[in-house]
Amino acid sequence: MIEPYRLLGRNQPRPLLAPGTRLDGTAQNRQSVGVDESRRWVEFGHYLVEQRERLGLKRRDAAKRAKMTDAAWRELEIGRKESFGGIKLLPNPSVDTLKRVADAIEVPYEELLEHVGWKPVPSLTPGDLETVSKSNATLIQKIARLESRDRAVVEKLIDTLLDTP
């Protein structure tokens, strides 16, 4: 029986993944372990409301303190935003936005990240930025926010694409 192969890199055959199999070898999807992303954002929204109310702030005042629109703050509080055609999307705030939100509700940035479910992003030194382009630095920061299992998947994918052991 001939197994399905795909030629990659230096024309060395590599077996294709079976349908439904993740790159890390497990059959689980991200939502099957722990809390799914949509639930995490809803819980973060509840936390955000509690912290805002703790300070006696209205939504508009908190948004102004964070230098963001009322609508953007509301999206964080409800845990979703609506796109064109009524499609509901999960929030995708930048690191800078989350830092401003943390300052606005007077909580440590690291505590805010815990409620989002992200790990703190390691800071890059000016020397690092000289050797890494801005787009690469952004990619490094995004990968650093992933859980270790997901980082391993990304590393495996990159190794496969580069054809390195």
Side-chain angles (χ1 to χ4, degrees):
M1 179 175 156
I2 299 174
E3 294 196 26
Y5 282 91
R6 179 170 62 170
L7 297 177
L8 291 175
R10 299 182 189 122
N11 295 330
Q12 296 176 2
R14 303 247 178 178
L16 292 173
L17 293 174
T21 304
R22 293 171 42 107
L23 287 174
D24 63 2
T26 66
Q28 298 174 330
N29 63 27
R30 296 178 87 185
Q31 285 75 26
S32 66
V33 179
V35 179
D36 70 13
E37 285 290 310
S38 60
R39 185 69 195 148
R40 182 177 293 151
W41 281 108
V42 169
E43 290 172 2
F44 173 73
H46 293 304
Y47 167 77
L48 203 57
V49 170
E50 289 172 10
Q51 296 306 311
R52 176 177 57 79
E53 290 175 348
R54 173 183 59 84
L55 295 173
L57 295 173
K58 294 183 179 181
R59 186 182 291 164
R60 175 175 292 167
D61 298 330
K64 188 179 287 188
R65 288 176 86 175
K67 297 180 177 100
M68 59 194 304
T69 65
D70 296 351
W73 187 277
R74 185 181 68 249
E75 290 168 357
L76 289 175
E77 284 192 356
I78 62 174
R80 67 176 186 273
K81 60 183 181 177
E82 290 200 20
S83 179
F84 298 105
I87 298 171
K88 292 176 177 41
L89 303 172
L90 296 177
N92 189 19
S94 67
V95 171
D96 182 55
T97 299
L98 290 177
K99 286 180 181 177
R100 291 192 321 257
V101 168
D103 289 342
I105 60 172
E106 300 175 6
V107 298
Y109 173 64
E110 292 76 18
E111 179 182 325
L112 188 80
L113 287 184
E114 287 178 24
H115 286 276
V116 175
W118 293 356
K119 294 182 172 67
V121 177
S123 298
L124 297 174
T125 65
D128 294 335
L129 292 177
E130 290 175 11
T131 59
V132 179
S133 71
K134 186 172 183 175
S135 63
N136 288 345
T138 302
L139 180 60
I140 289 168
Q141 290 177 340
K142 288 179 180 179
I143 292 172
R145 290 193 333 225
L146 296 173
E147 294 179 7
S148 60
R149 183 184 73 186
D150 292 332
R151 277 196 307 274
V153 170
V154 170
E155 184 177 338
K156 193 170 189 176
L157 176 62
I158 290 169
D159 286 344
T160 300
L161 292 172
L162 297 175
D163 196 32
T164 58

